[in-house]
Amino acid sequence: MLTDLQPSPTTGNAALLRVVESGPAGLVKARCPEFAGIRASVVRAGRDAVLVAQADPADYSFLVISGCLRTVRLMSDGRRQIGAFLFPGDFFGLEALNEHTFGMEAVGPAILRRYLRCSLEAYADRNMDFARRLRTMSAKRLRSEQARVLALGRMTASERIARFLLEMAHRTDASGPCIELPMSRADVADYLGLTTETVCRMLTQMQREAIIAINRSLIAIKDGDALAALAGE
Amino acid sequence: MLTDLQPSPTTGNAALLRVVESGPAGLVKARCPEFAGIRASVVRAGRDAVLVAQADPADYSFLVISGCLRTVRLMSDGRRQIGAFLFPGDFFGLEALNEHTFGMEAVGPAILRRYLRCSLEAYADRNMDFARRLRTMSAKRLRSEQARVLALGRMTASERIARFLLEMAHRTDASGPCIELPMSRADVADYLGLTTETVCRMLTQMQREAIIAINRSLIAIKDGDALAALAGE
DNA sequence: CGATCTGTTGATGCCTGTCAAGAGGGGTGG
DNA sequence: CCACCCCTCTTGACAGGCATCAACAGATCG
């Protein structure tokens, strides 16, 4: 059963792993020519590498090139909230003020570009198209945060999981109905305001109802309509 | 007991009520000279007036002049989430895309300025200081949404209430330790992802513990340290 | 091949939601 | 001006969903 869910050897993660040799928290920097006329450096991060710590001064913004990252906020007693999962093309820290309220960590091996925030600001001052792009991106981020407020405030565990699966299917440009979740169940739980156990239970329940099929980090959507119905709205 | 919590006759709401004569959903428009060089009209709204319906095309942005408003999102089965409470100086709809995902309603009598979004965009293109202000405002809104994600995802009912009281004390420039909540308990509940009953219970519990004193919409903070401790972080 | 980590499942408890009823105020109409 | 109605707020009893605690299986890695 589920033999069609084996991870393909062409995922590319193996290659990334080879690049990062300094271990779990390893960071390697290199020069990168430019992007939209702005200087940037390339950052490579290994699994669980902390690229930005919570309350760090917001000197830099990041653009994800490959891999997956999470933004994290920790409470003093250890409770954790994940603000967002970042995929290639996503930005982090564009709309920061003086300091980052969320940290950023690599879920798995990842590559990003790092920009000086003040240079982005300066470029936005000179280039009104770029300024518009910044506003549009902020609007999208805000919209997704508002969707999460609704989800965390008013939705049940199964609704949150269903929405999450649909979101992931949409964002990880999955050609087929099969999603590979790069993050752990604990990450999913902290993203959705649940516990690891509840995430597992909801997933297995959906599997029992033949809505999805699960094989570790691979999830196949068997009945998209039923999943959308669970997600509500 | 609590005679010091009587609402003062100088609240100003009485005057507002006199202005709005067209009833609960009344809207009156008038010309307003300008703001930052941008044409705007003045909108007066009575209690529970719907100024923007959910999924309305996002043609306009609003600046609150007086009163209090709420942004609302409704699910098909009636569950309601309040996105934010807006006070004088707050904007609504600046960072909208094609349509508003949240509606906007007046909590009580309110006055706002209404701007054409395209004219704000055009002004931002010409004026980089204004563009910067827009970015800063977006950043602040995003930050507050992120704080709510943390609250709704990982905080208990009492923590949410405590944070809410502190937030209100901070935003309604209360000179003393006494807050007047313009919104109903149901609004508070839908803002915090709780029920009316839970909000009441937490408030009375805090009153029993001599942290606050309650008289209808008036809340006096008796022990700010204890409240801050309850709020965590 | 053993240690460790992640994922899964089960038993139990608690926080908060649900349902219900009553109290108190404010507005309206007689 | 007063009585009535309605709405909001409050409190109680109970239930349910999710968290907590615990144990185990499987995978990964040294």
Side-chain angles (χ1 to χ4, degrees):
Chain A
M1 162 179 186
L2 283 179
T3 50
D4 55 326
L5 284 178
Q6 298 313 316
S8 75
T10 59
T11 304
N13 281 349
L16 282 184
L17 276 164
R18 248 178 272 124
V19 170
V20 181
E21 300 170 342
S22 30
L27 260 66
V28 186
K29 280 183 283 184
R31 264 298 147 83
C32 171
E34 48 75 55
F35 165 70
I38 309 165
R39 269 287 190 59
S41 49
V42 168
V43 179
R44 290 187 167 80
R47 182 171 185 255
D48 292 331
V50 177
L51 289 120
V52 174
Q54 192 174 319
D56 263 4
D59 297 329
Y60 298 102
S61 295
F62 296 84
L63 168 65
V64 180
I65 303 299
S66 72
C68 173
L69 300 106
R70 58 177 177 254
T71 68
V72 180
R73 180 145 173 193
L74 230 55
M75 292 176 64
S76 44
D77 59 0
R79 280 178 285 182
R80 190 178 73 144
Q81 177 69 46
I82 289 183
F85 291 113
L86 305 175
F87 291 97
D90 292 335
F91 268 97
F92 172 82
L94 271 186
E95 55 284 286
L97 296 168
N98 291 328
E99 57 181 38
H100 294 287
T101 50
F102 279 73
M104 177 172 63
E105 304 171 357
V107 169
I111 303 178
L112 342 123
R113 284 211 189 100
R114 195 184 67 172
Y115 299 92
L116 259 178
R117 270 193 61 235
C118 56
S119 64
L120 289 176
E121 284 285 314
Y123 186 68
D125 287 340
R126 295 193 307 272
N127 185 322
M128 88 184 188
D129 283 332
F130 184 64
R132 282 192 177 230
R133 274 184 63 194
L134 282 185
R135 287 202 291 279
T136 304
M137 283 193 286
S138 281
K140 285 181 181 167
R141 292 243 345 117
L142 190 60
R143 175 152 310 199
S144 79
E145 290 302 316
Q146 288 174 335
R148 315 235 358 264
V149 166
L150 178 66
L152 298 185
R154 285 292 174 230
M155 289 191 181
T156 64
S158 57
E159 287 172 323
R160 296 184 209 182
I161 298 284
R163 288 187 86 83
F164 175 74
L165 291 180
L166 290 174
E167 181 193 348
M168 285 301 122
H170 183 252
R171 292 182 66 188
T172 68
D173 40 55
S175 48
C178 190
I179 324 165
E180 176 162 11
L181 297 180
M183 71 292 287
S184 69
R185 300 288 192 267
D187 283 346
V188 176
D190 287 340
Y191 180 65
L192 298 176
L194 300 170
T195 58
T196 309
E197 295 91 328
T198 300
V199 172
C200 280
R201 271 187 262 269
M202 295 298 144
L203 286 175
T204 54
Q205 183 181 330
M206 288 182 192
Q207 185 170 230
R208 267 198 300 272
E209 294 167 357
I211 296 173
I212 60 173
I214 311 168
N215 182 359
R216 302 203 127 296
S217 69
L218 288 170
I219 295 188
I221 297 179
K222 299 272 198 181
D223 188 344
D225 295 341
L227 196 61
L230 268 184
E233 286 298 83
Chain B
M1 167 179 183
L2 283 181
T3 51
D4 56 324
L5 284 180
Q6 297 315 313
S8 78
T10 59
T11 304
N13 281 350
L16 282 186
L17 276 165
R18 250 180 269 124
V19 170
V20 182
E21 300 169 344
S22 32
L27 258 68
V28 186
K29 280 184 284 182
R31 265 296 149 84
C32 171
E34 47 77 55
F35 165 69
I38 310 166
R39 270 285 187 64
S41 49
V42 168
V43 179
R44 289 187 167 82
R47 184 171 183 258
D48 292 330
V50 177
L51 290 121
V52 174
Q54 190 174 320
D56 263 4
D59 298 329
Y60 297 102
S61 295
F62 295 84
L63 169 64
V64 181
I65 303 300
S66 73
C68 173
L69 300 108
R70 59 176 176 258
T71 68
V72 180
R73 179 144 172 193
L74 229 55
M75 292 175 65
S76 44
D77 59 0
R79 280 178 286 181
R80 191 178 74 145
Q81 177 68 46
I82 289 183
F85 291 114
L86 306 176
F87 292 98
D90 291 335
F91 269 97
F92 171 81
L94 271 186
E95 54 287 284
L97 296 168
N98 291 328
E99 58 181 37
H100 295 288
T101 50
F102 279 74
M104 177 171 63
E105 305 170 358
V107 169
I111 302 178
L112 331 109
R113 284 211 188 100
R114 196 184 66 173
Y115 299 92
L116 261 177
R117 269 193 61 235
C118 56
S119 63
L120 289 175
E121 284 284 315
Y123 187 68
D125 286 340
R126 295 194 306 272
N127 185 322
M128 88 183 188
D129 284 333
F130 184 64
R132 281 193 177 229
R133 275 184 61 195
L134 282 185
R135 288 202 290 280
T136 304
M137 284 194 285
S138 281
K140 284 180 181 166
R141 294 244 342 117
L142 190 61
R143 175 152 309 199
S144 78
E145 291 302 316
Q146 288 174 336
R148 315 229 3 263
V149 166
L150 178 65
L152 299 186
R154 286 293 175 228
M155 289 191 180
T156 65
S158 58
E159 286 172 324
R160 297 184 207 181
I161 297 284
R163 286 187 88 83
F164 175 74
L165 292 179
L166 291 174
E167 181 192 348
M168 287 299 123
H170 183 253
R171 293 184 64 189
T172 69
D173 39 56
S175 48
C178 191
I179 325 166
E180 176 162 11
L181 297 181
M183 71 293 288
S184 69
R185 300 287 193 267
D187 283 346
V188 176
D190 287 339
Y191 181 64
L192 298 176
L194 301 170
T195 60
T196 310
E197 295 92 327
T198 301
V199 172
C200 281
R201 271 187 264 269
M202 295 298 145
L203 285 175
T204 55
Q205 183 181 331
M206 288 182 190
Q207 185 170 231
R208 267 198 301 271
E209 292 167 359
I211 297 172
I212 61 174
I214 311 169
N215 182 359
R216 302 203 130 292
S217 69
L218 289 169
I219 295 189
I221 297 179
K222 299 271 198 184
D223 188 344
D225 295 340
L227 196 61
L230 268 184
E233 286 298 81

